Amino acid sequence: MTRAARGLWALCATLVLGFLPLVAVIGPAAAHDVRPAYLQIDPLGADRYTLIWRTPLLSGMSLPVVLDLPAEAKVLAPPKIQPLPGSVIERRAIEIPGGLAGQRIGFVGLEGTITDVLVRIGDGRGGQATALVRPSRPWIEIDPERGLLDIALTYLRQGIDHILTGTDHLLFVASLLLIVRDWRMLLKTITAFTVAHSITLALATFGLVSLPPGPVDTLVAASIALVAVEAVRRERGVTSAMIRWPWIVAFLFGLLHGFGFAGALLDLGFPQGDIPLALLMFNIGIEIGQLIFIAVVLATIAAIRRIFPIPGRAVLVSSYAIGILATFWALERLQATFT
Amino acid sequence: MRRSLVGLAAVLVLLVPGAASAHGNLAAAGAFYSGLLHPLLVPAELLCLLAVGLYLGTNGRHASQIGVPVFAGFVAAGLALGGLLSLPVRLPTIMALAAAALASLSVIAGKRLPHALLAVLAGFGGLAIGLDAVPDADGWGDRLLTSVATVIGSGAAIVILTAFVSSQQRELSRIGYRVAGSWIMAVAILYFGWLAVQ
């Protein structure tokens, strides 16, 4: 590389590296704050319905979104508001002459947030229709006939969203890429991670195993730091069980990450009678998001390698950066667990 | 190093304080992805990105070593300048289309350009994308995050495209690049025409 090219490359590297810490500081706080709001509508009798409207609390403030019910809707009883840790639930009963079908429910203020609203509409016979309302289209046209495909797509999208906005899960996958150097081992490691988190996600979703979220989140952060330490050791020529068999580590820590995914899925709630479908699609969504991330990272690294000579210490620097960030998260989450 | 610091300072201008957003943290993940995908989802920026990537890739590895950092650096500079200047609304789009047309014209011509000219064209393309992608978020944190993501997204996209093109230099591939260049130029001109009659 010529001197001019080196200088220009240094400029670009400085720009990017100079901002990474800032991204990191802002990023983790956002990692899992994108919780959806939730509206459950169940028939109470002829043209009468109960509404459960749950909004997440963000930094102690309730979501600035208000339900906009059809003009014909009559409130049968004053809304009952129940504050919960992390959310507020509002229950009300309404009557809509002619029923809900074909009516529109709006979510005023949703367009100013990036929160989604999960809407479930019971049919009174044990079945439910599910839909996801996005800020870009903050209303729903009620169509009680929506079926399994809607549920599947809703949870698939939530799975992809969750992994792609879950900085800690992505960083764990990135740190695994630092210690895995061949395709076969990469396949084994990613598969082990997938199998493991699928197991605990299913166990936690069905309520068979339950762990408090605070310690789980702390251990997830600690798992990233630990893998980063191993990546540093590998760069220094040291070998260990974790370096030789990274898929075992991916499996063990994957069990932990599964509890993290389950927390997000439990926040979403489930359609009665379709829990296995929701679980399956959420998990597939997570896999799709994970594979997109891996593909983009590997393609970018391969492309950079093709054009620029990568300095020998690049892996070491990346490992340290990931390790420092993960340690910070672990301490922050540990403190949050005890306060 | 001095130039690196100047570039860094240019993007740091984005730190101009703004009104704090009540849901800054909530929007942060969205802000990052919105910045990351902006150059890929806005047609004029995508055309510019494709044309400059093709152009750098067809000029070989050495050209890419110069062009890619210049491009990424000027995306950052454009983001910083766009936050400070009040430009006519369509100017960045027109600049991006002009960069796309010029770069694709060079691809169609199939001639290697002097490195200085190459750097100017890559820088112009990057500047246009940066100016066009200035985030309109309220809080400075979101603006910064979105801007960094735009630099990362456009940088990664240009690196991947350039590396792919420079690695595929068979006769058939080169014909393919020229065809692609022609299409990009045609779309850029049509887009410009559409803007003109609006």
Side-chain angles (χ1 to χ4, degrees), chain A residues 19-311:
Chain A
F19 282 105
L20 272 182
L22 286 166
V23 176
V25 170
I26 300 166
H32 288 103
D33 272 355
V34 192
R35 287 174 294 157
Y38 169 67
L39 175 66
Q40 170 84 40
I41 303 173
D42 286 304
L44 198 58
D47 299 342
R48 292 181 169 202
Y49 302 89
T50 57
L51 266 63
I52 299 174
W53 171 231
R54 191 186 73 186
T55 49
L57 286 176
L58 306 157
S59 310
M61 293 168 64
S62 79
L63 193 73
V65 178
V66 178
L67 279 183
D68 180 21
L69 297 171
E72 310 86 74
K74 284 184 232 161
V75 178
L76 298 175
K80 287 179 187 166
I81 296 171
Q82 182 187 4
L84 293 174
S87 63
V88 176
I89 290 185
E90 185 185 317
R91 295 166 201 274
R92 59 173 99 174
I94 59 166
E95 181 177 354
I96 302 179
L100 257 179
Q103 299 281 3
R104 171 189 282 206
I105 293 180
F107 300 90
V108 180
L110 189 70
E111 64 280 5
T113 74
I114 61 159
T115 303
D116 301 332
V117 180
L118 188 74
V119 181
R120 293 218 193 84
I121 302 153
D123 61 7
R125 302 183 299 274
Q128 290 196 93
T130 306
L132 197 66
V133 178
R134 299 266 177 187
S136 55
R137 191 176 178 273
W139 69 86
I140 181 172
E141 309 273 1
I142 306 296
D143 174 11
E145 298 306 315
R146 298 174 88 180
L148 290 178
L149 184 64
D150 283 314
I151 296 173
L153 290 176
T154 298
Y155 282 87
L156 181 78
R157 203 160 172 176
Q158 282 294 313
I160 297 173
D161 276 7
H162 180 71
I163 188 83
L164 289 182
T165 53
T167 321
D168 47 2
H169 301 303
L170 292 182
L171 214 57
F172 180 76
V173 175
S175 60
L176 283 176
L177 295 177
L178 290 173
I179 57 172
V180 176
R181 297 293 164 84
D182 66 85
W183 285 100
R184 188 175 293 180
M185 189 56 84
L186 178 66
L187 191 68
K188 240 178 177 177
T189 306
I190 296 302
T191 307
F193 183 60
T194 300
V195 169
H197 72 63
S198 302
I199 291 171
T200 41
L201 174 59
L203 289 175
T205 304
F206 288 115
L208 298 172
V209 181
S210 167
L211 288 180
V216 168
D217 287 346
T218 307
L219 287 171
V220 163
S223 71
I224 304 165
L226 200 62
V227 178
V229 168
E230 288 305 302
V232 170
R233 280 157 57 86
R234 185 190 168 112
E235 280 305 294
R236 291 186 172 155
V238 180
T239 191
S240 67
M242 198 184 279
I243 294 167
R244 274 199 299 270
W245 302 296
W247 62 271
I248 296 179
V249 181
F251 184 85
L252 293 175
F253 289 140
L255 294 172
L256 265 180
H257 285 251
F259 283 110
F261 297 142
L265 186 55
L266 291 171
D267 267 350
L268 271 177
F270 307 100
Q272 289 302 317
D274 291 314
I275 295 178
L277 176 70
L279 176 64
L280 176 71
M281 296 316 289
F282 187 78
N283 210 6
I284 290 174
I286 284 174
E287 293 322 309
I288 291 173
Q290 193 174 286
L291 291 176
I292 289 172
F293 174 74
I294 292 171
V296 170
V297 168
L298 291 181
T300 308
I301 292 171
I304 292 174
R305 268 207 182 122
R306 190 147 201 109
I307 298 173
F308 302 102
I310 294 186

